[in-house]
Amino acid sequence: MRFDIRKFEQTTSTNDDARVAGEAGAPAGTVIWAVRQSAGRGRRGRQWESPEGNLYGSVVLRPAGGRSVYGLYAFVAALAIFETVAGLLPEAKIELKWPNDVLAGGKKISGVLLESGGDFLIMGIGINVRHCPENPLYPVTSLAAEMPAAPPVEDVLNRLLGHIGYWDDILTREGFAPLRQRWLAHARKGAMRVRLPNEEIAGEFADLDENGHLHLLLPDKTTRVITAGDVFF
Ligand code: BTN
């Protein structure tokens, strides 16, 4: 995929600009990159604090498989961030947390917000490069906190796009299996709690299935399939 980066000093949310671009027919690979966001969004309507120094980018994608594969792009994003962070922090323990969080030393270092634009997909990614704005739900960290000198945000973006291109290509040509395998090899497993809109369930990681759903082994030895939720350790 060829990436066309459109840089802004400030915007509300790069996902908003990516939607406008997608609706105007922007090709796959169009990237909205902002230095700051005034109304950055997290998952489930949460706020994503966006001071200058971190990475805020949204990529317009037009998957050949159409809407049925949109959900699998959570794993393209997760693996691309994973490879980026692991490449920069070779000494650190980098893990994946279902579905698309990346943890450095057990702390959240990034976030992914996928939104559908109808006939296109918006992959919004935030990576904590220089700051770690407090998150009410999870402990957080940044590249700067984990290494002597964090690289410029633009370098992190270029690495990230390279990995997005790689995993998008694999998903398109070979399907989800290679992504599942790589994700499973680096996922944090074991005991976890999953928060759903109306309940919280405790269990043990059992599997990631071919649809990207989480299989949780419950204390009564039954398995529950989770399609959306927040995981806590
Ligand atoms: C999460 O809650 O973990 C997801 C956070 C996603 C943040 C990124 S920053 C770039 C893009 N623009 C947004 O408003 N959100 C995403």
Side-chain angles (χ1 to χ4, degrees), residues 104-173:
K107 299 176 186 169
K108 180 170 158 94
I109 197 164
S110 59
V112 176
L113 184 63
L114 289 182
E115 292 180 333
S116 164
D119 65 343
F120 61 94
L121 175 67
I122 301 160
M123 179 189 282
I125 293 180
I127 300 181
N128 293 344
V129 178
R130 295 209 152 60
H131 311 286
C132 22
E134 252 178 60
N135 184 309
L137 293 179
Y138 308 101
V140 286
T141 191
S142 66
L143 290 172
E146 306 287 335
M147 66 196 291
V153 174
E154 187 166 11
D155 291 6
V156 181
L157 176 65
N158 285 325
R159 286 172 181 250
L160 176 72
L161 295 177
H163 294 300
I164 291 174
Y166 174 82
W167 285 111
D168 169 58
D169 193 47
I170 298 280
L171 179 61
T172 306
R173 288 190 296 111

Coordinates of all heavy atoms in Angstrom, one line a residue, residues 104-173:
A104 N 3.6 -2.3 27.3 CA 5.1 -2.3 27.5 C 5.3 -2.4 29.0 O 4.9 -1.5 29.8 CB 5.7 -1.0 27.0
G105 N 6.0 -3.5 29.4 CA 6.2 -3.7 30.9 C 4.8 -3.7 31.6 O 4.7 -3.3 32.7
G106 N 3.8 -4.3 31.0 CA 2.5 -4.4 31.6 C 1.6 -3.2 31.5 O 0.5 -3.2 32.0
K107 N 2.1 -2.1 30.9 CA 1.4 -0.8 30.9 C 1.0 -0.5 29.5 O 1.7 -0.7 28.5 CB 2.2 0.3 31.5 CG 2.6 0.0 32.9 CD 3.5 1.2 33.4 CE 4.0 0.9 34.8 NZ 5.0 1.9 35.1
K108 N -0.2 0.1 29.4 CA -0.8 0.5 28.0 C 0.0 1.6 27.4 O 0.2 2.6 28.1 CB -2.2 0.9 28.2 CG -3.0 1.3 27.0 CD -4.5 1.4 27.3 CE -5.3 2.3 26.4 NZ -5.9 1.5 25.3
I109 N 0.4 1.4 26.2 CA 1.3 2.4 25.5 C 0.6 3.0 24.3 O 1.1 3.9 23.7 CB 2.7 1.8 25.2 CG1 3.7 2.9 24.9 CG2 2.6 0.8 24.0 CD1 5.1 2.5 24.9
S110 N -0.6 2.5 23.9 CA -1.2 2.9 22.7 C -2.7 2.6 22.7 O -3.2 2.0 23.7 CB -0.6 2.0 21.5 OG -0.8 0.7 21.8
G111 N -3.4 3.1 21.7 CA -4.9 2.8 21.6 C -5.3 2.8 20.2 O -4.6 3.4 19.3
V112 N -6.3 2.0 19.9 CA -6.8 1.9 18.5 C -8.3 2.1 18.5 O -9.0 1.6 19.4 CB -6.6 0.4 18.0 CG1 -7.2 0.2 16.6 CG2 -5.1 0.1 18.0
L113 N -8.8 3.0 17.6 CA -10.2 3.2 17.4 C -10.6 3.0 16.0 O -10.2 3.8 15.1 CB -10.5 4.7 17.9 CG -12.0 5.1 17.8 CD1 -12.8 4.2 18.8 CD2 -12.2 6.5 18.1
L114 N -11.2 1.9 15.7 CA -11.6 1.5 14.4 C -13.1 2.1 14.2 O -13.9 1.8 15.1 CB -11.7 0.0 14.2 CG -10.4 -0.8 14.1 CD1 -10.7 -2.2 13.8 CD2 -9.5 -0.2 13.0
E115 N -13.3 2.8 13.1 CA -14.6 3.2 12.8 C -15.0 2.9 11.4 O -14.1 3.0 10.5 CB -14.8 4.8 13.1 CG -14.6 5.1 14.6 CD -14.7 6.6 14.9 OE1 -14.4 7.4 14.0 OE2 -15.1 6.9 16.0
S116 N -16.2 2.6 11.1 CA -16.6 2.3 9.8 C -17.2 3.5 9.1 O -17.9 4.3 9.7 CB -17.7 1.2 9.8 OG -18.4 1.2 8.6
G117 N -16.7 3.7 7.9 CA -17.3 4.9 7.1 C -18.2 4.4 6.0 O -18.4 5.1 5.1
G118 N -18.7 3.2 6.1 CA -19.6 2.7 5.1 C -18.8 1.8 4.1 O -18.6 0.6 4.4
D119 N -18.3 2.4 3.1 CA -17.5 1.6 2.1 C -16.0 1.8 2.4 O -15.2 1.5 1.5 CB -17.9 2.0 0.7 CG -17.5 3.4 0.3 OD1 -17.3 4.2 1.2 OD2 -17.4 3.7 -0.9
F120 N -15.7 2.3 3.5 CA -14.3 2.4 3.9 C -14.1 2.2 5.4 O -15.1 2.3 6.1 CB -13.6 3.7 3.4 CG -14.2 4.9 4.0 CD1 -13.7 5.5 5.2 CD2 -15.3 5.6 3.4 CE1 -14.2 6.7 5.7 CE2 -15.9 6.7 4.0 CZ -15.3 7.3 5.1
L121 N -12.9 2.0 5.8 CA -12.6 1.8 7.3 C -11.6 2.8 7.7 O -10.7 3.2 7.0 CB -12.0 0.4 7.4 CG -11.6 -0.1 8.8 CD1 -12.7 -0.2 9.7 CD2 -10.8 -1.4 8.7
I122 N -11.8 3.3 8.9 CA -10.9 4.3 9.5 C -10.2 3.6 10.7 O -10.8 3.1 11.6 CB -11.7 5.5 10.1 CG1 -12.5 6.2 9.0 CG2 -10.7 6.5 10.8 CD1 -13.6 7.1 9.5
M123 N -8.8 3.5 10.5 CA -8.0 2.9 11.6 C -7.3 4.1 12.3 O -6.3 4.6 11.8 CB -7.0 2.0 10.9 CG -6.1 1.3 12.0 SD -4.7 0.4 11.1 CE -5.6 -1.0 10.6
G124 N -7.8 4.4 13.5 CA -7.2 5.5 14.3 C -6.3 4.9 15.3 O -6.7 4.0 16.1
I125 N -5.1 5.5 15.4 CA -4.1 4.9 16.3 C -3.4 6.0 17.1 O -3.0 7.1 16.5 CB -3.0 4.1 15.5 CG1 -3.6 2.9 14.9 CG2 -1.8 3.8 16.4 CD1 -2.6 2.0 14.1
G126 N -3.3 5.8 18.4 CA -2.6 6.8 19.2 C -1.4 6.0 19.9 O -1.6 4.9 20.4
I127 N -0.2 6.5 19.8 CA 0.9 5.9 20.6 C 1.5 7.0 21.5 O 1.8 8.1 21.1 CB 2.0 5.4 19.6 CG1 1.4 4.3 18.7 CG2 3.2 4.8 20.4 CD1 2.4 3.7 17.7
N128 N 1.7 6.6 22.7 CA 2.3 7.5 23.7 C 3.8 7.5 23.4 O 4.5 6.6 23.7 CB 2.1 7.0 25.1 CG 0.6 7.1 25.6 OD1 -0.2 7.8 24.9 ND2 0.3 6.5 26.6
V129 N 4.3 8.6 22.8 CA 5.7 8.8 22.5 C 6.4 9.5 23.6 O 7.3 9.0 24.2 CB 5.9 9.5 21.1 CG1 7.4 9.6 20.8 CG2 5.2 8.7 20.0
R130 N 5.9 10.7 23.9 CA 6.6 11.5 25.0 C 5.8 11.7 26.2 O 6.4 12.0 27.3 CB 7.0 12.9 24.4 CG 7.9 12.9 23.3 CD 8.9 14.0 23.1 NE 10.1 13.5 22.5 CZ 10.1 12.9 21.3 NH1 9.0 12.8 20.6 NH2 11.2 12.5 20.9
H131 N 4.5 11.5 26.2 CA 3.7 11.7 27.4 C 2.8 10.5 27.6 O 2.5 9.8 26.7 CB 2.7 12.9 27.2 CG 3.4 14.1 26.7 ND1 4.2 14.9 27.5 CD2 3.3 14.7 25.5 CE1 4.6 15.9 26.7 NE2 4.1 15.8 25.5
C132 N 2.5 10.3 28.9 CA 1.5 9.2 29.2 C 0.3 9.8 30.0 O 0.3 9.8 31.2 CB 2.1 8.0 29.9 SG 3.6 8.2 30.7
P133 N -0.6 10.4 29.3 CA -1.8 11.0 30.0 C -2.5 9.9 30.8 O -2.6 8.8 30.3 CB -2.7 11.5 28.8 CG -1.8 11.6 27.6 CD -0.7 10.6 27.8
E134 N -2.9 10.3 32.0 CA -3.5 9.3 32.9 C -4.7 8.7 32.2 O -5.5 9.4 31.6 CB -3.9 9.9 34.2 CG -3.0 9.5 35.3 CD -3.3 10.2 36.6 OE1 -4.5 10.0 37.0 OE2 -2.4 10.9 37.1
N135 N -4.9 7.4 32.4 CA -6.0 6.7 31.9 C -6.7 6.1 33.2 O -6.1 5.5 34.0 CB -5.6 5.5 31.0 CG -6.7 4.8 30.4 OD1 -7.7 4.4 31.0 ND2 -6.7 4.7 29.0
P136 N -8.0 6.4 33.3 CA -8.7 6.0 34.5 C -8.8 4.5 34.7 O -9.0 3.9 35.8 CB -10.1 6.6 34.4 CG -10.3 6.9 32.9 CD -8.9 7.2 32.4
L137 N -8.7 3.8 33.6 CA -8.9 2.3 33.6 C -7.6 1.5 33.7 O -7.6 0.4 34.3 CB -9.6 1.9 32.3 CG -11.0 2.3 32.1 CD1 -11.5 1.8 30.8 CD2 -11.9 1.8 33.2
Y138 N -6.5 2.0 33.2 CA -5.3 1.2 33.1 C -4.0 2.0 33.5 O -4.0 3.2 33.2 CB -5.1 0.7 31.6 CG -6.2 0.1 31.0 CD1 -7.0 0.8 30.1 CD2 -6.5 -1.3 31.2 CE1 -8.1 0.2 29.4 CE2 -7.6 -1.9 30.6 CZ -8.4 -1.2 29.7 OH -9.4 -1.8 29.1
P139 N -3.0 1.2 34.0 CA -1.7 1.9 34.1 C -1.1 2.2 32.7 O -1.4 1.4 31.7 CB -0.8 0.9 34.8 CG -1.5 -0.4 34.8 CD -3.0 -0.2 34.4
V140 N -0.5 3.3 32.5 CA 0.0 3.7 31.2 C 1.5 4.0 31.2 O 2.1 4.3 32.2 CB -0.7 5.0 30.7 CG1 -2.2 4.7 30.3 CG2 -0.7 6.1 31.8
T141 N 2.1 3.9 30.0 CA 3.5 4.3 29.8 C 3.7 4.9 28.5 O 2.7 5.1 27.7 CB 4.4 3.1 30.0 OG1 5.8 3.5 30.1 CG2 4.3 2.1 28.9
S142 N 4.9 5.3 28.2 CA 5.2 6.0 26.9 C 6.6 5.4 26.4 O 7.3 4.9 27.2 CB 5.3 7.5 27.0 OG 6.4 7.8 27.9
L143 N 6.9 5.7 25.2 CA 8.2 5.3 24.7 C 9.3 6.0 25.5 O 10.3 5.4 25.9 CB 8.4 5.6 23.2 CG 7.5 4.8 22.2 CD1 7.6 5.3 20.8 CD2 8.0 3.3 22.2
A144 N 9.1 7.3 25.7 CA 10.1 8.1 26.4 C 10.3 7.6 27.8 O 11.5 7.7 28.3 CB 9.6 9.6 26.5
A145 N 9.3 7.0 28.4 CA 9.5 6.5 29.8 C 10.2 5.2 29.8 O 10.7 4.7 30.8 CB 8.1 6.3 30.5
E146 N 10.3 4.5 28.6 CA 10.9 3.2 28.6 C 12.3 3.1 27.9 O 12.9 2.1 27.7 CB 9.9 2.2 27.8 CG 8.5 2.2 28.3 CD 8.4 1.4 29.7 OE1 9.3 0.5 29.9 OE2 7.5 1.7 30.4
M147 N 12.7 4.3 27.3 CA 14.0 4.3 26.6 C 14.7 5.7 26.9 O 14.1 6.6 27.2 CB 13.8 4.1 25.1 CG 13.0 5.2 24.4 SD 12.3 4.7 22.8 CE 13.8 4.5 21.8
P148 N 16.0 5.7 26.6 CA 16.7 6.9 27.0 C 16.3 8.1 26.2 O 16.1 9.2 26.7 CB 18.2 6.6 26.6 CG 18.3 5.1 26.5 CD 16.9 4.6 26.2
A149 N 16.0 8.0 24.9 CA 15.6 9.1 24.1 C 14.6 8.6 23.0 O 15.0 7.9 22.1 CB 16.8 9.8 23.4
A150 N 13.3 9.0 23.2 CA 12.3 8.6 22.2 C 12.6 9.2 20.9 O 13.0 10.4 20.8 CB 10.9 8.9 22.7
P151 N 12.3 8.5 19.7 CA 12.5 9.1 18.4 C 11.5 10.2 18.1 O 10.4 10.2 18.8 CB 12.4 8.0 17.5 CG 11.6 6.9 18.2 CD 11.9 7.2 19.7
P152 N 11.7 11.0 17.1 CA 10.7 12.0 16.7 C 9.4 11.2 16.3 O 9.4 10.1 15.8 CB 11.3 12.6 15.4 CG 12.7 12.4 15.5 CD 12.9 11.1 16.3
V153 N 8.2 11.9 16.6 CA 6.9 11.3 16.3 C 6.9 10.8 14.8 O 6.3 9.7 14.5 CB 5.8 12.2 16.6 CG1 4.5 11.7 16.2 CG2 5.8 12.6 18.1
E154 N 7.4 11.6 13.9 CA 7.3 11.2 12.5 C 8.0 9.9 12.2 O 7.6 9.1 11.4 CB 7.9 12.4 11.6 CG 7.7 12.1 10.2 CD 8.0 13.4 9.3 OE1 8.6 14.3 9.9 OE2 7.7 13.4 8.1
D155 N 9.1 9.7 12.9 CA 9.8 8.4 12.7 C 9.0 7.2 13.2 O 8.9 6.1 12.6 CB 11.1 8.3 13.5 CG 12.2 9.3 13.0 OD1 11.9 10.1 12.0 OD2 13.3 9.3 13.5
V156 N 8.3 7.4 14.3 CA 7.4 6.4 14.8 C 6.3 6.1 13.8 O 5.9 5.0 13.5 CB 6.9 6.8 16.2 CG1 6.0 5.7 16.8 CG2 8.0 7.1 17.2
L157 N 5.7 7.2 13.3 CA 4.7 7.1 12.3 C 5.1 6.3 11.1 O 4.4 5.4 10.6 CB 4.2 8.5 11.9 CG 3.1 8.5 10.8 CD1 1.8 7.8 11.2 CD2 2.8 9.9 10.3
N158 N 6.3 6.6 10.6 CA 6.8 5.9 9.4 C 7.0 4.4 9.6 O 6.7 3.6 8.8 CB 8.1 6.6 8.8 CG 7.7 7.9 8.2 OD1 6.7 8.0 7.5 ND2 8.6 8.9 8.3
R159 N 7.5 4.1 10.8 CA 7.7 2.7 11.2 C 6.3 2.0 11.2 O 6.1 0.9 10.7 CB 8.4 2.6 12.5 CG 9.8 2.9 12.6 CD 10.3 2.9 14.0 NE 11.7 3.2 14.1 CZ 12.7 2.3 14.4 NH1 12.4 1.1 14.8 NH2 14.0 2.7 14.5
L160 N 5.4 2.7 11.9 CA 4.1 2.2 12.1 C 3.4 1.9 10.7 O 2.8 0.8 10.5 CB 3.2 3.1 12.9 CG 1.7 2.8 13.1 CD1 1.6 1.6 14.0 CD2 0.9 3.9 13.6
L161 N 3.5 2.8 9.8 CA 2.9 2.6 8.5 C 3.5 1.5 7.7 O 2.8 0.7 7.0 CB 2.9 3.9 7.7 CG 2.2 5.1 8.2 CD1 2.4 6.4 7.4 CD2 0.7 4.8 8.4
G162 N 4.8 1.3 7.8 CA 5.4 0.2 7.2 C 4.9 -1.1 7.7 O 4.6 -2.0 6.9
H163 N 4.6 -1.2 9.0 CA 4.1 -2.4 9.6 C 2.6 -2.6 9.2 O 2.1 -3.7 9.0 CB 4.3 -2.5 11.1 CG 5.7 -2.6 11.5 ND1 6.5 -3.6 11.1 CD2 6.5 -1.7 12.2 CE1 7.7 -3.4 11.6 NE2 7.7 -2.3 12.3
I164 N 1.8 -1.5 9.1 CA 0.4 -1.6 8.7 C 0.4 -2.1 7.3 O -0.4 -3.0 7.0 CB -0.3 -0.2 8.8 CG1 -0.5 0.2 10.3 CG2 -1.6 -0.3 8.1 CD1 -1.0 1.6 10.5
G165 N 1.2 -1.6 6.4 CA 1.3 -2.1 5.0 C 1.6 -3.6 5.0 O 0.9 -4.3 4.2
Y166 N 2.5 -4.0 5.8 CA 2.9 -5.4 5.8 C 1.8 -6.3 6.2 O 1.4 -7.3 5.5 CB 4.1 -5.6 6.7 CG 4.5 -7.1 6.9 CD1 5.3 -7.7 6.0 CD2 4.0 -7.8 8.0 CE1 5.6 -9.1 6.1 CE2 4.4 -9.1 8.2 CZ 5.2 -9.8 7.2 OH 5.5 -11.1 7.4
W167 N 1.1 -6.0 7.4 CA 0.1 -6.9 7.9 C -1.2 -6.8 7.1 O -2.0 -7.8 7.0 CB -0.2 -6.6 9.4 CG 1.0 -7.2 10.2 CD1 1.9 -6.5 10.9 CD2 1.3 -8.6 10.4 NE1 2.8 -7.4 11.5 CE2 2.4 -8.7 11.2 CE3 0.7 -9.8 10.0 CZ2 3.0 -9.9 11.6 CZ3 1.3 -11.0 10.4 CH2 2.4 -11.0 11.2
D168 N -1.5 -5.6 6.5 CA -2.6 -5.5 5.6 C -2.5 -6.4 4.4 O -3.4 -7.1 4.0 CB -2.8 -4.0 5.1 CG -3.8 -3.9 4.0 OD1 -4.9 -4.3 4.2 OD2 -3.4 -3.4 2.9
D169 N -1.2 -6.4 3.9 CA -0.9 -7.3 2.7 C -1.1 -8.8 3.1 O -1.7 -9.6 2.3 CB 0.5 -7.0 2.3 CG 0.8 -7.5 0.9 OD1 0.0 -7.4 0.0 OD2 1.9 -8.2 0.8
I170 N -0.6 -9.2 4.2 CA -0.7 -10.6 4.7 C -2.2 -10.9 4.8 O -2.6 -12.0 4.4 CB 0.1 -10.8 6.0 CG1 1.5 -10.5 5.8 CG2 -0.2 -12.2 6.5 CD1 2.4 -11.6 5.2
L171 N -2.9 -10.1 5.5 CA -4.4 -10.4 5.7 C -5.1 -10.5 4.3 O -5.9 -11.5 4.2 CB -5.0 -9.3 6.5 CG -6.5 -9.4 6.8 CD1 -6.8 -10.7 7.6 CD2 -7.0 -8.2 7.6
T172 N -4.8 -9.6 3.4 CA -5.4 -9.7 2.1 C -5.1 -10.9 1.3 O -5.9 -11.6 0.7 CB -5.0 -8.4 1.3 OG1 -5.3 -7.3 2.1 CG2 -5.8 -8.3 0.0
R173 N -3.8 -11.3 1.4 CA -3.3 -12.4 0.5 C -3.5 -13.8 1.2 O -3.8 -14.8 0.5 CB -1.9 -12.2 0.1 CG -1.7 -11.1 -0.9 CD -0.3 -11.0 -1.5 NE 0.7 -10.7 -0.5 CZ 1.6 -11.5 -0.1 NH1 1.7 -12.7 -0.6 NH2 2.5 -11.2 0.8

